Amino acid sequence: MTGYGRGVIAERNLRATVEVRTVNHRFLDLKLRGAPLAPASEDAVQARVRARVERGSVVVSVNLARDGGGAMLRIDPDAAKRAYDVLAATAAQLGIAGPELGLVLAQPGVVGGVEDAVDDGSEQRSITGALDAALVQLDQMRATEGEALAAELVTWLDELVERRTQLAELAATLPQQVARRLTERVRRLLDGQDAATVDRGGSPRRSRCSRTARMSRRSWSGSPRTSIRRAAWWLPRARSGRRLDVQEIGRELNTIGSKSALAEISSVIVEAKAALEKIREQVQNVE
């Protein structure tokens, strides 16, 4: 499910801004972007997101800055000294002036991200606080989307119920209609001869029609509807999307369609399958 949340926490001279974006995805795909995080902070972020989001493509953007607005940098003195020594030796060989500070700082590994000097836990507290605030907004947006999605799914399920009712009505008269059509066809072929004996030889077709009638009257729309209306699955932690399985309905529609002897039933099956496909599409968005 899609959603967005943003949180900002300032503690001492550290200001943490966290944004969380989610889009539909079959599994949980979590990506961290922005400022490099200390291992403990990164683990805390991942644990909090996994506890609130079961599946989806999730992008967490973290920005850390001082209150003055400048980005916090970490300079590795050992890496800077090694870079300076190499550059100075090269400059001496070439007979030119030694390296400037800007050139030393530009070497890989000299300048890093977040300053490790903030080691009293304030970094992690600020990040997780901002993340929690962002996740609250994310949940609210996803809940709103889920309610709209639930209404749409119920609409399509109501469509299936209507088609099932049509199938039941058609199935109730199916054996008689098939028998009448067969009798009329045979009478036309015999050109007015007595075709009363034909009806005695039609037991296989009648048996097939009876099976179609029984299957058409089954209430195969109840379980998904109950899953939607009884479970608050639009809340991100409800985890009801995977329970909303419509495969059984699809199998029964295929079976009824394959055994149907009436064009009217085949037409209703096509319409029911169209509604079922809409449900399948939307189920993929449910967490």
Side-chain angles (χ1 to χ4, degrees), residues 76 131 143 205 213-214 249 253 276:
D76 188 336
L131 175 63
R205 178 62 63 90
R214 287 196 301 270
I249 298 177
L253 286 175
L276 189 63

Side-chain angles (χ1 to χ4, degrees), residues 196-212:
T197 57
V198 174
D199 195 51
R200 292 196 297 270
S203 58
R205 178 62 63 90
R206 282 183 174 274
S207 176
R208 180 179 178 182
C209 293
S210 298
R211 290 197 300 269
T212 304

Side-chain angles (χ1 to χ4, degrees), residues 150 225-235 238-241 243:
R225 178 194 292 271
T226 301
S227 179
I228 289 179
R229 288 180 171 170
R230 292 187 179 177
W233 55 263
W234 54 85
L235 296 179
R239 301 183 179 181
S240 298
R243 295 199 298 268

